[in-house]
């Protein structure tokens, strides 16, 4: 059995893969398992160089950088790490909602710049409690965000590819109508070609000059150029972003704006959650090696 590591993964995971499984980082004909993350993934070209590939184990819930259609065609199973990171990513979304509406990052910079003693007050911000929240993508993470913000007295509505029978939140038939009915639009939809640019110029227009965008999903879900323009023109009120279209690059035009909160894709980045993700990747690997099955295949592979 031959394991290939694709990308710079969590050091302790790489260490275990090397010492326990002899993992390498150069593609070879005999590789049967790849361990990677959503930042890197396995595209069709790399799959073509791995004729014996049987499994791709993805460290992370999002697997849009792996060509799952090609994997399925080749009989390669793909796994991800759902559930274990839901709480931390949802916590991050709520933190971004609070930070951007209340201006906490800008206020922190204001204090550090010594402006408090100058006599003025920090400008008033916007109330989170009771604000109308629209969730774009009511999957595991979207539901966890909704659940948390319900406790803030926020009316919740959502848009999904299809209406969900088991939730009481209002359903919007499309992203534009969801944005029009929201003070805060939280993006929690899976990345990939199906959702690319879903938050379009029209959606931002519908969100409006008093509306905020929060994205903890994938940068590709938002038309980033349209977002930058909408912020510059004051056509939306602000944005809290953990993800970007071309990570680790953040549009330069955002860097000196106080109406945005910018995070370096840290949604799942706690010691506890990253350890849980690491364990789940290794459990998938063990199950695959011992029994030829995996614990958490992506939906396309079930
Ligand atoms: C990253 C994420 O995977 O799970 C996801 O889809 O985006 C994150 O948890 C993690 O940062 C590893 O790259």
């Amino acid at each position: 059995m031959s394991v290939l590591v694709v990308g710079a993964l969590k050091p302790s995971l790489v260490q275990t893969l090397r010492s326990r499984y002899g993992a390498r980082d150069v593609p070879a004909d005999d590789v049967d398992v790849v361990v990677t993350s959503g930042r890197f993934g396995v595209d069709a070209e790399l799959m073509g160089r791995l004729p014996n590939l049987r499994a791709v184990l993805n460290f992370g819930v999002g697997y849009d950088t792996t060509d799952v259609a090609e994997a399925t065609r080749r009989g390669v199973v793909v796994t991800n790490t759902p559930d274990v990171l839901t709480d931390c990513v949802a916590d991050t979304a709520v933190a971004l909602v609070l930070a951007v509406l209340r201006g906490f990052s800008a206020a922190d910079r204001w204090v550090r710049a010594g402006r408090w003693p100058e006599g003025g007050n920090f400008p008033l911000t916007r109330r989170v409690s009771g604000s109308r929240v629209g969730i774009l993508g009511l999957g595991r993470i979207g539901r966890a965000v909704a659940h948390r913000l319900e406790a803030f007295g926020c009316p919740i509505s959502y848009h999904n590819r299809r209406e969900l029978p088991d939730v009481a939140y209002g359903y919007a038939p499309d992203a534009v109508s969801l944005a029009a009915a929201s003070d805060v639009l939280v993006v929690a939809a899976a990345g990939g070609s199906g959702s690319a640019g879903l938050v379009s110029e029209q959606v931002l227009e519908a969100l409006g000059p008093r509306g905020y965008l929060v994205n903890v999903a994938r940068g590709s879900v938002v038309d980033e150029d349209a977002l930058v323009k909408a912020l510059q023109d004051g056509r939306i009120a602000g944005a809290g972003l953990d993800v970007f279209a071309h990570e680790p690059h953040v549009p330069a035009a955002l860097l000196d704006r106080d109406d945005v909160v910018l995070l370096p894709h840290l949604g799942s980045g706690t010691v506890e959650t990253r350890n849980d993700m690491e364990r789940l990747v290794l459990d998938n690997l063990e199950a695959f090696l011992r029994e030829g099955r995996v614990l958490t295949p992506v939906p396309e592979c079930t």
Side-chain angles (χ1 to χ4, degrees):
M1 202 273 313
S2 169
V3 176
L4 174 69
V5 173
V6 172
L9 306 182
K10 189 172 188 280
S12 56
L13 173 59
V14 175
Q15 173 63 35
T16 304
L17 292 170
R18 285 207 180 116
S19 61
R20 205 181 293 166
Y21 303 96
R24 294 164 300 166
D25 43 26
V26 178
D29 277 3
D30 64 333
V31 165
D32 24 49
V33 178
V34 166
V35 181
T36 188
S37 82
R39 253 183 84 188
F40 307 97
V42 183
D43 59 14
E45 191 271 328
L46 179 54
M47 272 180 229
R49 290 194 282 146
L50 304 171
N52 282 309
L53 187 64
R54 290 153 65 215
V56 173
L57 313 182
N58 186 63
F59 178 87
V61 70
Y63 49 91
D64 46 308
T65 50
T66 286
D67 190 335
V68 180
E70 178 63 10
T72 310
R73 200 183 66 75
R74 289 172 174 269
V76 173
V77 67
V78 180
T79 69
N80 64 346
T81 60
D83 298 318
V84 293
L85 47 64
T86 299
D87 283 340
C88 277
V89 179
D91 292 352
T92 302
V94 173
L96 280 172
V97 171
L98 286 164
V100 73
L101 268 74
R102 299 297 310 274
F104 290 148
S105 295
D108 177 272
R109 288 190 291 277
W110 189 82
V111 170
R112 289 171 198 259
R115 296 183 59 190
W116 198 0
E118 284 171 10
N121 288 320
F122 188 76
L124 299 183
T125 59
R126 290 279 301 282
R127 179 159 57 194
V128 171
S129 293
S131 60
R132 297 168 306 155
V133 172
I135 312 267
L136 191 58
L138 202 70
R140 295 178 179 87
I141 293 170
R143 284 174 191 246
V145 174
H147 181 64
R148 282 158 172 72
L149 289 172
E150 275 188 280
F152 285 73
C154 295
I156 309 284
S157 52
Y158 73 101
H159 171 67
N160 237 23
R161 274 163 296 188
R162 57 194 166 76
E163 190 169 356
L164 300 170
D166 62 331
V167 298
Y169 310 134
Y171 180 70
D174 53 62
V176 170
S177 54
L178 180 69
S182 302
D183 300 308
V184 189
L185 182 64
V186 179
V187 183
S193 54
S195 63
L198 188 57
V199 178
S200 60
E201 189 182 345
Q202 293 70 32
V203 171
L204 296 168
E205 208 61 48
L207 191 56
R210 287 180 56 80
Y212 292 84
L213 179 75
V214 165
N215 188 4
V216 291
R218 284 290 182 265
S220 59
V221 185
V222 175
D223 179 338
E224 199 166 76
D225 293 337
L227 172 63
V228 170
K229 274 211 94 294
L231 286 161
Q232 286 172 329
D233 299 347
R235 284 182 285 113
I236 68 165
L241 306 171
D242 186 40
V243 288
F244 300 87
H246 307 289
E247 295 173 11
H249 303 289
V250 173
L254 295 183
L255 297 180
D256 55 6
R257 300 192 67 86
D258 272 344
D259 55 2
V260 294
V261 176
L262 308 172
L263 301 180
H265 198 150
L266 50 63
S268 68
T270 63
V271 172
E272 295 87 348
T273 288
R274 289 284 168 86
N275 284 345
D276 290 347
M277 292 162 67
E278 176 175 356
R279 195 167 310 116
L280 186 49
V281 168
L282 292 171
D283 287 350
N284 269 305
L285 180 56
E286 268 305 305
F288 186 70
L289 296 180
R290 284 174 194 275
E291 300 151 42
R293 66 180 182 98
V294 292
L295 307 177
T296 51
V298 303
E300 295 92 324
C301 294
T302 51

